[in-house]
Amino acid sequence: MTSTTAESSVDLRVTVIEWLKRLAPLAVLAGVLALVGFFEPSFLAPRSLLVLIDESSTLLLLALAQMIVVLTGRISLSIATLASLGTILLALWLPIVGWLAVPAVLAVAAFAGAAQGYVHYRSQVPSFVVTLGGLGIFAGLALTASGARVIGISDGFDAVAWTFGDFFELPRSFLIALGAAIVLGVILRFTTFGRRTRAIGYSEPAGQLSGIPVGRVVVGVFTISGLLSGLAAILLVARSYSAGPALADSLLLPALSAVVVGGTAITGGFGGVWRTVVGVLIITVLRVGLGIMGVDPAYTQIIYGVVLAVAVALTIDRSKLATIK
C-alpha cells in the first residue's frame, strides 16, 4: 500500500468518526423515542409530539443559556434561579407598568448575567464559584420579593399571553424558543463574536495571544445567557399564570444534561445550537417517557445525574482538565 493510499484511508476513517460523532445525538433521540413508543404507542402520535415540544420550550431556552457559557469552557449554576427571580419581577411589575415589564425583566436578567461574567473574569474566580454565589443571591432575592409565596397573575397578563397558545397548530412557546436558537446559531456561526467564543473554548491562552478581547467576549457570553434566562421566565409565567421563587429551579440539572447529551464538550470549544436542541428533545422525552414507563419520579434526578456523568465522560477533553474556568 502506497503512502498516499494509507493517508487517504486514515482521512476516510477520521471523516467517518467525525460524522458518527455528529449524528450520535440524533441516533440517541431516535432510540429514546422508539423505546417510549414501544411502551406507549400513542406517545408517537402527532398531537402527543406537539405537546412534547411545547413542554421543551423553557428547557430549551435555559439549555441555550448554559450552552453558550459552556462553549467557552465555563459553566453557570445560576441560570434557573435567575429565571425564577425573573418570574417574580414580572409578576410584581406587570400590574404597575404593563407590557413594559417584559423588556424590564429581560434587561435585569441580561445585566445580572453580565455582572457575573465581569466579576468572574476580573477576579479570576472560577465561573462555577461566581455563579454559585449568584444562585444564592437570586434565590434570596426571589424569596424576599415574593414573601416566599406563589404569586398569581391577573392584571397585565395580556402582555405575556401572546407567548402561549398555538400558531398554525405549532406551540408559540416552542416557536419563540426555536427562534432564539436560530438567532444564537447565526451569531455563533457567522459573526466575529461567535468565532471568538469558540476560539476561547478551544484555547483561551492562544486566543489572548492572537488579540481576542477575552474579557469582553466572556462578559458578552454571560449577558446573552442572562437574557435567555429572562426570556425563559416570561414563558414560564405565560404557561403557569403565576410566578414562584423556585419555579424554574428544578430545570438546572436537565438544562446542563441537555447541553452535554447533545454533544457540546463540557471543556468548551466544541458543540453548538442544533446539538443543544437535540439534547433538549432527548431530555424532554426522558422526562415524559419515564413517567409513562412507570418510573418513580423520585428517581428522575438520579437518572439525570447518571446521564450527565456518562455524557461528560464521553465528551470531555482531558487535555484541558488542568485548567479551571
Side-chain angles (χ1 to χ4, degrees):
M1 181 182 292
T2 66
S3 59
T4 302
T5 304
E7 290 174 0
S8 299
S9 178
V10 171
D11 290 341
L12 179 59
R13 285 197 298 270
V14 170
T15 302
V16 170
I17 291 172
E18 287 299 317
W19 272 105
L20 289 175
K21 286 182 178 180
R22 291 177 182 274
L23 296 176
L26 288 173
V28 172
L29 176 59
V32 173
L33 281 170
L35 178 63
V36 178
F38 175 79
F39 284 91
E40 181 54 66
S42 64
F43 180 78
L44 300 179
R47 186 59 188 170
S48 298
L49 295 178
L50 286 175
V51 172
L52 183 74
I53 62 173
D54 188 25
E55 289 287 331
S56 70
S57 304
T58 304
L59 179 59
L60 175 55
L61 288 172
L62 290 177
L64 292 172
Q66 187 70 266
M67 181 273 296
I68 192 171
V69 175
V70 169
L71 270 183
T72 66
R74 292 162 171 82
I75 194 170
S76 176
L77 301 179
S78 64
I79 53 170
T81 49
L82 181 55
S84 296
L85 175 60
T87 67
I88 298 298
L89 296 178
L90 191 60
L92 295 175
W93 292 345
L94 276 174
I96 302 173
V97 298
W99 66 269
L100 289 175
V102 173
V105 167
L106 293 176
V108 169
F111 176 79
Q116 291 181 102
Y118 180 81
V119 170
H120 155 63
Y121 186 76
R122 293 293 295 179
S123 66
Q124 292 300 297
V125 174
S127 57
F128 75 89
V129 175
V130 172
T131 56
L132 181 61
L135 182 154
I137 292 171
F138 301 147
L141 289 173
L143 285 169
T144 302
S146 65
R149 61 186 176 86
V150 174
I151 303 175
I153 298 175
S154 55
D155 295 340
F157 183 76
D158 289 345
V160 297
W162 60 274
T163 66
F164 193 62
D166 295 337
F167 181 75
F168 289 104
E169 298 188 359
L170 292 174
R172 289 182 187 173
S173 59
F174 181 74
L175 292 176
I176 292 169
L178 186 62
I182 292 171
V183 171
L184 184 58
V186 170
I187 291 172
L188 290 175
R189 185 172 180 83
F190 298 108
T191 69
T192 300
F193 174 82
R195 290 189 289 272
R196 287 174 172 176
T197 297
R198 292 183 184 278
I200 290 171
Y202 280 121
S203 176
E204 188 167 318
Q208 288 176 323
L209 290 174
S210 65
I212 292 177
V214 174
R216 290 205 296 270
V217 174
V218 169
V219 172
V221 161
F222 275 89
T223 302
I224 294 173
S225 177
L227 181 65
L228 291 167
S229 296
L231 185 55
I234 294 168
L235 294 190
L236 279 170
V237 169
R239 173 182 293 277
S240 61
Y241 291 84
S242 63
L247 192 59
D249 290 7
S250 63
L251 295 177
L252 175 60
L253 185 56
L256 181 56
S257 300
V259 172
V260 182
V261 167
T264 296
I266 197 71
T267 43
F270 180 80
V273 169
W274 84 265
R275 289 178 171 276
T276 302
V277 172
V278 175
V280 166
L281 293 176
I282 292 171
I283 295 300
T284 304
V285 172
L286 279 176
R287 292 177 69 192
V288 177
L290 289 174
I292 292 175
M293 294 166 63
V295 177
D296 190 328
Y299 294 105
T300 301
Q301 293 296 324
I302 297 175
I303 294 173
Y304 287 153
V306 172
V307 169
L308 179 60
V310 172
V312 168
L314 293 175
T315 63
I316 195 169
D317 183 351
R318 288 166 176 78
S319 67
K320 299 180 182 178
L321 290 182
T323 304
I324 300 177
K325 296 188 250 181

